Amino acid sequence: MKKGARISLLVLLAAGLWLALKPTAGNRRLTFLPVHWSEYVDFMDFWFNLGAFALLAATAWLAFGTWKKVLGRACLITGFITLLNVMLELLQSSIPGRAMDLADVWAGLLGCVLGIVGSMAVQLMTEGRKSSDGIPQVLFLDQTGRLGGAELMLLDIASARAADSEVVLFQDGEFRSALENAGVKTRVLRLDDEASSVNKQAGLLHVLRSIPGIVQLILQTAQASRSFDVVYANTAKALIIGGPAARLAGRPLIFHLHDIIADGHFSPINQCALIFCANCFADRVIANSEATKDAFVARGGRAELCVVIPNGFHIPEERTNKDDLKKLRFSCLNIPSDAFIVLMAGRLAHWKGQHVLLEALKPMPSAHAVLLGDALFTDEDREYAHRLHAQADESELTGRVHFAGFQSDTLAYFDLADVVVHASVFPEPFGRVIVEGMLAGKPVIASRAGGAAEIVSHEHTGLLVDPGNVNELAEALMRLQHDSAFAARLALNAQQTARDVYALPAVQRQIENLIRKAGKYKTDPIPGTDTAPSATQAA
Ligand code: UDP
């Protein structure tokens, strides 16, 4: 809601309340309303008034947040409304048959002065806190303890400002160890079982049952947020918890949106909750691609909140040496020396499309697939992993599919590959593995949808194929296998583009500037850091 709209809504609500609640004295109630309105209003009872007050309180809270701000605005609005009352009282004296009541005028003026003074006092009390060294203190929130793409991005952001940040996780796991190894203070605030089992597909009943656990976590998070300048929600559940918590604590909220909000990924109720929370509570939404932003806006998200910042990546100075590559190839994975190695990295999940790659490899007898990653999040993912193992055992693929499991250090796997494939069957919000393949100097093939299609420029920095199209993927793979000059050209362009567009320091600087703006700190003086160049611009 825009600030002007919020204030107008509040004024309207407050004026309505004032009309409803103005004490009755003979027939002088609501003197400036037409008589029949006044009579109608006389029928309003206690419950109406109570409901109206609750509505005002809820609107004020949604519009302005903390009780101090609500109090400040309420005082100000009361002041103006009583001033209006005085003016009406004065005007009334010019209507034949009506007289001005001096007591009302004085009472109105007093109310006006008290309201405005009260509002100024509250304003002084709520002057924002600033850390003494001029660096905003940030509380990052993330729902999972597992290491997905969103968490790897947060790991980089939080570890670059470890002294001025803390990360709250709603689940324990290897993400916490990774953060702590990077020197980031971390704490786990657990969601109860009912609430933590709400997934992206959850229905209304399930969501309702999870409410008590969610409320408790919101209060704990609000308490934690009070020691920080800015709250930064890195996942969908982190927004649902962090939004109201930041509001209660009176802290600005940044939401980093790593997902495409659409039917394949979220249930309708979850989509509504996400959009509502982002629109009401977030000061800024960082979308990791134009596709992510478009989906957010298409579902009702406020476009003006959104800034597109892609993921950033460390550019390693050294790649894997030959001996380590040999060890990986022959000892760890047992891949013959003449094999054409196709790497697919990322968690095992149906929408990531590992099955599409395995199908495409059937007519390519010298191609071996290395599947790097594990089923990370859901039971469906674990079932899918079993189905993949069964598919890999089919006669056309025997011995050619290598499940490498989850690896915290992936560099050598990218260096070993002849080609890196991304085969998501749903639009990918960003697709870190594509950039990692490009940085490794490998030709990449990606699905033509979502953020992946923004990263890869077809025939220039890689090849794009239609999502789920086995034949097209197989043709692209064969083309790269047999035309090594073309593959090398794509790889070179890709590496240069990835270095130009996705280097971590520039991305960190943009995010830091958003944090500073949200926390009302001075921003980085380096110009042009509000948005990143897109891959297509760089190409
Ligand atoms: N990854 C990893 N170890 C693995 C498999 C994947 O560290 O065994 C990393 C991968 O390098 C990438 C991230 O997990 O940085 C996956 O990010 P992506 O955007 O591709 O997918 P997401 O998990 O966000 O859907």
Side-chain angles (χ1 to χ4, degrees):
M1 225 188 301
K2 283 202 172 127
K3 200 173 172 191
R6 293 195 250 173
I7 291 179
S8 320
L9 184 60
L10 269 180
V11 170
L12 279 176
L13 274 170
L17 272 179
W18 180 74
L19 294 179
L21 299 173
K22 192 167 176 272
T24 309
N27 66 351
R28 282 191 43 258
R29 189 173 187 219
L30 305 167
T31 44
F32 56 91
L33 278 186
V35 176
H36 62 280
W37 276 32
S38 173
E39 277 166 4
Y40 170 72
V41 172
D42 276 346
F43 285 108
M44 290 178 184
D45 61 11
F46 169 79
W47 293 108
F48 175 87
N49 294 336
L50 202 67
F53 260 131
L55 190 60
L56 177 64
T59 315
W61 185 69
L62 281 178
F64 300 114
T66 55
W67 69 269
K68 282 182 184 166
K69 274 194 185 170
V70 172
L71 193 66
R73 305 290 167 147
C75 285
L76 195 65
I77 290 166
T78 313
F80 278 113
I81 289 182
T82 41
L83 184 65
L84 179 72
N85 190 23
V86 171
M87 285 159 60
L88 288 166
E89 201 64 53
L90 293 174
L91 272 178
Q92 195 167 238
S93 58
S94 60
I95 301 174
R98 302 249 179 161
M100 183 179 70
D101 184 334
L102 214 57
D104 264 9
V105 174
W106 285 118
L109 282 177
L110 186 66
C112 173
V113 170
L114 282 180
I116 289 171
V117 169
S119 135
M120 283 162 63
V122 174
Q123 193 64 35
L124 285 177
M125 280 158 59
T126 49
E127 284 291 289
R129 65 187 285 286
K130 292 272 179 291
S131 75
S132 52
D133 55 3
I135 300 174
Q137 305 296 300
V138 180
L139 182 69
F140 292 98
L141 307 174
D142 196 291
Q143 72 203 45
T144 179
R146 311 303 303 268
L147 270 170
E151 287 67 39
L152 288 167
M153 182 68 213
L154 177 55
L155 181 61
D156 284 335
I157 301 168
S159 47
R161 54 177 351 279
D164 305 292
S165 308
E166 184 171 335
V167 177
V168 164
L169 301 178
F170 301 147
Q171 248 179 24
D172 208 346
E174 65 269 21
F175 183 29
R176 183 163 71 100
S177 318
L179 285 162
E180 285 175 353
N181 290 341
V184 182
K185 205 170 155 214
T186 308
R187 95 172 91 153
V188 178
L189 294 179
R190 249 172 255 280
L191 203 53
D192 71 9
D193 290 347
E194 191 70 55
S196 58
S197 63
V198 174
N199 58 23
K200 290 178 180 180
Q201 309 301 331
L204 183 59
L205 260 182
H206 194 170
V207 172
L208 287 178
R209 279 202 308 269
S210 68
I211 287 177
I214 291 179
V215 169
Q216 192 191 8
L217 191 60
I218 289 174
L219 295 177
Q220 287 174 331
T221 310
Q223 183 65 28
S225 306
R226 282 186 226 285
S227 319
F228 294 86
D229 299 302
V230 176
V231 179
Y232 189 113
N234 194 52
T235 55
K237 273 189 199 164
L239 170 71
I240 307 279
I241 303 296
R247 190 43 62 95
L248 279 172
R251 299 292 179 261
L253 176 90
I254 293 178
F255 172 41
H256 200 149
L257 176 60
H258 296 275
D259 295 298
I260 289 194
I261 304 178
D263 289 345
H265 292 288
F266 293 92
S267 69
I269 178 110
N270 279 354
Q271 292 180 31
C272 292
L274 258 179
I275 297 290
F276 173 81
C277 285
N279 282 350
C280 282
F281 301 125
D283 291 77
R284 229 38 176 133
V285 174
I286 301 174
N288 59 1
S289 66
E290 291 292 340
T292 304
K293 177 184 170 183
D294 291 347
F296 174 73
V297 174
R299 299 278 147 172
R302 288 163 55 199
E304 70 276 15
L305 288 180
C306 256
V307 55
V308 176
I309 302 181
N311 278 205
F313 296 80
H314 289 286
I315 298 175
E317 279 169 17
E318 280 180 25
R319 305 292 315 189
T320 319
N321 66 46
K322 279 191 178 148
D323 289 343
D324 288 344
L325 282 183
K326 265 192 194 160
K327 209 163 110 191
L328 180 62
R329 178 175 201 133
F330 299 116
S331 312
C332 303
L333 296 172
N334 197 16
I335 299 177
S337 54
D338 58 348
F340 180 70
I341 301 179
V342 182
L343 175 74
M344 192 161 163
R347 60 201 149 96
L348 304 183
H350 180 270
W351 76 273
K352 289 286 186 182
Q354 281 90 354
H355 60 287
V356 180
L357 172 65
L358 297 197
E359 265 327 286
L361 288 194
K362 282 183 178 171
M364 298 178 67
S366 61
H368 281 233
V370 176
L371 301 184
L372 183 61
D374 213 339
L376 282 192
F377 296 122
T378 64
D379 288 340
E380 292 94 78
D381 294 350
R382 283 178 274 278
E383 271 167 37
Y384 176 71
H386 282 125
R387 289 206 302 279
L388 273 182
H389 279 273
Q391 190 180 0
D393 285 341
E394 287 173 24
S395 57
E396 300 114 300
L397 290 170
T398 316
R400 294 202 284 127
V401 182
H402 308 267
F403 290 88
F406 181 86
Q407 303 291 333
S408 50
D409 189 356
T410 60
L411 203 69
Y413 290 85
F414 282 95
D415 289 337
L416 183 67
D418 290 302
V419 52
V420 173
V421 166
H422 162 271
S424 291
V425 293
F426 280 125
E428 181 78 52
F430 181 74
R432 290 177 60 88
V433 291
I434 304 168
V435 179
E436 287 162 350
M438 291 163 77
L439 283 172
K442 304 293 168 171
V444 293
I445 302 175
S447 289
R448 188 182 284 110
E454 293 165 37
I455 296 172
V456 174
S457 159
H458 187 54
E459 303 258 346
H460 177 67
T461 58
L463 292 176
L464 290 171
V465 295
D466 284 343
N469 189 328
V470 173
N471 292 338
E472 213 184 334
L473 178 58
E475 273 168 31
L477 280 165
M478 287 182 216
R479 185 173 172 197
L480 292 178
Q481 184 180 16
H482 296 122
D483 189 346
S484 51
F486 174 62
R489 205 165 57 244
L490 287 188
L492 196 69
N493 294 339
Q495 194 174 41
Q496 195 51 54
T497 303
R499 283 167 178 267
D500 291 345
V501 180
Y502 302 106
L504 188 59
V507 169
Q508 276 167 336
R509 205 161 47 236
Q510 292 171 68
I511 293 180
E512 193 59 32
N513 267 347
L514 286 186
I515 291 173
R516 287 178 158 273
K517 271 188 198 156
K520 302 205 166 44
Y521 280 73
K522 255 176 78 184
T523 50
D524 188 341
I526 298 169
T529 54
D530 212 30
T531 49
S534 71
T536 10
Q537 277 165 348

